[in-house]
Amino acid sequence: MMRLLLKKIFIVITATYSVLCAGQVVPLQTPLEAARYARISTSNEISGYLHALAGRYPMLTRVELAGNSVQNRPIEVIRFSALRRDDTVKRLTVMIAGSQHGAAEPAGGEAMLMIARELADGYLRPLLEEMDVILLPNANPDGRDLGRRSNANRVNINTDFVLLTQPETRALKETVERYAPHVLLDSHESAVLKRESLAKDGYLTDFDAQFEISNNPAVPAALRDYALNIFLPALTARVSDGGLPARRYIGEITSIQQPVTNGGLTLRNFRNAAAMTGVLSLLVETKLDSREAVHPTYRNIAQRVARQLLCLHSLLTLAHERRAEILAQTALARAMLHQEPLTLYAGYALNPAQPQKSIVMRRLDTGELEPRVFPDHRLQINADAAAFPRMLVITRHQDVIRSVLERHRIDYRRLLHPSEQQVTAMRVNVPANSLVRAGLLAETQKTLTIDRGSLLIDLLQPNGRTAALLLDPRSISSIFRYPEYARLVEPEEEFFIYRTFEEVLVNRP
């Protein structure tokens, strides 16, 4: 089946390399193609290819700088938009990002270079009549060139979207804000061989493609429902019909004794962080074959790219077909970002309706497939709903909190004169385990005298929903789940950040 899939995809992708008519422009080869799949592309080669493609089609596409890596390599997007725009057509914007895990998961970025060529002058070109496409193929250029999964600071950037400590994660977040896509796909690969964990039990995982939605409970409910019950099933069905079995994401399996869950629930991950802007945000993971096996190309890169090509192609065509309903759903979500209550806690629990899940695994010793039964903990439990506040008032530790706000591009103001305000105050216990639910010890309504120099955050701003989640200790995405900020929370004292449902005037004497 997979050989047939490969053949079909590469017939389409490489058809233009057959005998060309006189005067016809020869299509660009991607760096991977030029290397005959003997190695992955370098960051310089990817950048050169993007600029060369944009140079050929200057009225259709451009390369723009999203940011720079730790070692100052450029993080670039290539942006596609049709030459002619019908002002009566509401256009959909789709963004795809890849290679957050550098050299460890390069296939998505390599596939994006082929997708870029087909959008410019190939079989995907007609999509641009009603749709703009933003491709960011090399989110971690240092990791790619240094031969590692992390960035140059040895940080996994895919779990850095709460604190945003790395320039790569800040670039990704700012790119979402800059282009305001309606659909976002975060492209990854997942290793079947986990030598230090699952392999010790004698097994490999065996799947081809998995997709996950933005499942944080603070994502507007209607958008989560649409993603889970309509778009995700249609996408996995389309990929499966293309010859690549696809399913909803099951969290990483590192032991045959563990329970299984779906994807991570916090804003640490890119797809959930992006969803706070009202985007239909998804993750894809395709099979990353064991490097210890013998493959026809370097680490089976040709087949891995083919898997990604099918997934990316399926996402683009499905989004194009469903653009009207996606536009309606994301417009509704964006209207609700500053209105819908916040659900602060989420976790997984045993599903009493289906307490076990059978998953096909591959034996390491024989290579045979074998079903294994796991406890099924995919039931998502949500709790701690809170009304969306109008403003937050930060009365202490302003310098520490301000650095987080600035990394997230959250606007704030300093109070110039003391002010009295009706606020909601609380005392809360932050657990040492970041997955455990925080304890609300007390919550009261009071009149607070706010001192000069306090920070005020108006939550009616683009990053207002993110701010509300980051700064509430009860939230599973709170900065106070991290040791350097948890120490600021004193359980016996009133928490120093207050919520108010009325506007605080900054300059009133």
Side-chain angles (χ1 to χ4, degrees):
M1 178 68 75
M2 196 62 202
R3 288 181 180 177
L4 179 60
L5 169 67
L6 269 170
K7 184 176 180 180
K8 287 181 178 178
I9 290 176
F10 280 102
I11 284 175
V12 174
I13 292 291
T14 62
T16 51
Y17 295 123
S18 57
V19 179
L20 300 171
C21 299
Q24 189 173 6
V25 176
V26 178
L28 285 172
Q29 282 189 310
T30 71
L32 184 66
E33 292 167 336
R36 299 180 181 272
Y37 298 89
R39 59 171 176 81
I40 65 171
S41 308
T42 68
S43 296
N44 277 340
E45 289 172 337
I46 290 173
S47 179
Y49 174 85
L50 295 179
H51 283 274
L53 191 66
R56 287 195 177 192
Y57 304 95
M59 301 300 292
L60 183 67
T61 184
R62 66 171 61 183
V63 177
E64 297 174 345
L65 184 68
N68 292 91
S69 67
V70 172
Q71 295 186 341
N72 207 36
R73 292 179 174 90
I75 300 169
E76 295 172 314
V77 302
I78 184 165
R79 179 182 182 184
F80 293 87
S81 188
L83 288 169
R84 299 175 182 174
R85 290 198 176 195
D86 183 346
D87 291 338
T88 66
V89 175
K90 177 63 175 174
R91 298 179 67 79
L92 186 77
T93 300
V94 177
M95 175 178 167
I96 306 176
S99 301
Q100 279 199 66
H101 287 140
E105 301 176 21
E110 303 286 1
M112 265 180 253
L113 303 186
M114 297 178 181
I115 290 287
R117 183 177 61 210
E118 300 308 317
L119 284 166
D121 191 22
Y123 70 99
L124 294 176
R125 171 63 180 80
L127 300 184
L128 299 182
E129 295 304 320
E130 296 89 13
M131 190 165 82
D132 296 339
V133 179
I134 312 296
L135 301 179
L136 195 159
N138 195 21
N140 181 8
D142 293 350
R144 177 179 283 268
D145 289 356
L146 294 172
R148 65 174 63 152
R149 187 173 190 266
S150 61
N151 72 350
N153 286 337
R154 297 193 178 276
V155 173
N156 175 6
I157 65 172
N158 190 45
T159 56
D160 184 49
F161 287 90
V162 167
L163 298 186
L164 288 182
T165 63
Q166 303 303 302
E168 294 89 351
T169 47
R170 294 194 290 272
L172 282 166
K173 178 176 171 57
E174 290 167 14
T175 299
V176 173
E177 295 174 11
R178 178 179 182 181
Y179 297 108
H182 303 95
V183 182
L184 181 141
L185 182 67
D186 182 18
S187 170
H188 291 263
E189 298 179 86
S190 181
V192 297
L193 175 63
K194 298 172 175 62
R195 179 59 69 188
E196 298 304 316
S197 54
L198 183 61
K200 293 180 178 179
D201 290 338
Y203 289 90
L204 310 170
T205 55
D206 188 80
F207 68 87
D208 291 291
Q210 297 192 111
F211 290 86
E212 182 59 296
I213 65 165
S214 47
N215 54 6
N216 182 277
V219 174
L223 186 60
R224 275 188 291 124
D225 181 71
Y226 174 77
L228 179 61
N229 297 313
I230 297 176
F231 194 83
L232 181 65
L235 181 57
T236 55
R238 177 158 301 193
V239 173
S240 297
D241 290 345
L244 188 68
R247 66 185 183 191
R248 186 181 178 188
Y249 180 85
I250 290 177
E252 184 177 11
I253 298 175
T254 58
S255 168
I256 60 173
Q257 306 299 327
Q258 72 175 62
V260 294
T261 64
N262 292 126
L265 297 163
T266 77
L267 301 194
R268 295 197 326 153
N269 305 117
F270 184 38
R271 75 181 190 287
N272 282 334
M276 290 304 116
T277 64
V279 59
L280 175 61
S281 180
L282 303 107
L283 164 84
V284 63
E285 280 194 355
T286 54
K287 181 187 296 185
L288 198 169
D289 304 281
S290 168
R291 67 178 63 182
E292 297 180 9
V294 176
H295 302 294
T297 59
Y298 170 76
R299 295 186 180 176
N300 213 26
I301 191 65
Q303 195 168 32
R304 288 160 55 192
V305 170
R307 295 178 188 128
Q308 283 281 329
L309 274 170
L310 178 59
C311 293
L312 304 189
H313 171 267
S314 299
L315 182 281
L316 287 171
T317 56
L318 182 64
H320 181 262
E321 291 169 14
R322 295 180 175 248
R323 60 190 180 277
E325 65 187 44
I326 293 171
L327 287 168
Q329 290 292 334
T330 52
L332 175 62
R334 290 168 186 184
M336 297 303 295
L337 288 175
H338 302 139
Q339 299 180 40
E340 191 166 296
L342 294 162
T343 300
L344 300 169
Y345 173 81
Y348 288 115
L350 181 69
N351 185 354
Q354 181 180 304
Q356 295 182 324
K357 170 67 176 176
S358 178
I359 299 175
V360 175
M361 311 286 284
R362 189 174 295 277
R363 291 185 62 90
L364 188 59
D365 53 358
T366 66
E368 295 179 351
L369 295 176
E370 177 182 303
R372 297 288 307 188
V373 175
F374 294 82
D376 191 338
H377 284 230
R378 292 177 296 162
L379 178 65
Q380 183 172 326
I381 304 296
N382 299 329
D384 296 336
F388 189 81
R390 176 68 169 82
M391 300 189 79
L392 298 179
V393 181
I394 303 170
T395 59
R396 289 189 287 128
H397 308 297
Q398 290 94 333
D399 289 343
V400 177
I401 302 301
R402 189 176 62 220
S403 65
V404 177
L405 302 180
E406 290 172 354
R407 290 198 295 270
H408 277 274
R409 297 158 64 93
I410 295 169
D411 294 332
Y412 64 87
R413 295 172 290 172
R414 282 191 177 274
L415 190 66
L416 302 181
H417 304 280
S419 175
E420 286 193 348
Q421 189 73 27
Q422 283 294 119
V423 300
T424 300
M426 64 180 171
R427 290 191 296 118
V428 66
N429 180 37
V430 178
N433 184 339
S434 64
L435 299 178
V436 175
R437 185 176 173 185
L440 179 62
L441 303 180
E443 186 174 45
T444 58
Q445 310 299 314
K446 61 180 287 186
T447 299
L448 176 70
T449 300
I450 308 173
D451 293 335
R452 178 178 178 272
S454 295
L455 300 185
L456 305 178
I457 302 174
D458 187 340
L459 295 179
L460 301 185
Q461 60 172 292
N463 286 314
R465 199 165 184 85
T466 296
L469 294 173
L470 295 177
L471 298 178
D472 193 316
R474 298 169 295 171
S475 165
I476 56 170
S477 301
S478 170
I479 64 171
F480 301 107
R481 295 295 185 112
Y482 293 79
E484 59 267 47
Y485 299 98
R487 63 180 177 80
L488 304 178
V489 182
E490 299 288 345
E492 302 306 318
E493 296 183 9
E494 200 166 83
F495 185 52
F496 63 92
I497 299 179
Y498 298 86
R499 290 168 288 149
T500 178
F501 295 86
E502 298 177 356
E503 184 177 8
V504 180
L505 299 179
V506 179
N507 297 314
R508 184 173 58 191

